[in-house]
Amino acid sequence: MSTRNGPHARANAAEDDSPTARAVSKTMRYSRAEYAKVLALQDEVARADADYQRLRNAYMDMAQKEPDHEVGLAMIGADMDRAHARLQALIGLPRLPFTHEPSAVMRREVQRLTDEKH
């Protein structure tokens, strides 16, 4: 039963017909196409993150086991840097010119860990 014309009409009129209530109800819903895009983007970000983590782990493994294998480290490092850039682009972070490549940061971290062990 509607309360629009009943004894509580004045209290309910402000809630039902306010422009804010209408705007909130419109912005909280996604269309099917928008929802599909959001799900696809979430899957793409998850894949990009998995690729980055896989390459990062491979780089760490090679840097610890074969630190003299410079070609392998450079190849995996370049792939890791590209995967990191792709992940940042998907998330929406700008590419800043002064940020270090993740492979250079990882190289320093592995060197520090190796120095601490010896």
Side-chain angles (χ1 to χ4, degrees), residues 57-109:
N57 291 336
Y59 188 89
M60 289 287 288
D61 187 49
M62 181 172 268
Q64 288 175 349
K65 291 180 180 176
E66 300 179 47
D68 296 336
H69 200 302
E70 293 178 7
V71 174
L73 287 172
M75 291 174 69
I76 294 173
D79 288 341
M80 187 177 79
D81 294 340
R82 280 192 292 275
H84 187 260
R86 170 101 173 110
L87 183 60
Q88 282 186 320
L90 285 173
I91 293 173
L93 296 174
R95 191 82 173 128
L96 301 173
F98 54 84
T99 56
H100 299 289
E101 296 295 336
S103 61
V105 175
M106 293 297 301
R107 192 176 318 116
R108 284 195 306 268
E109 184 177 329

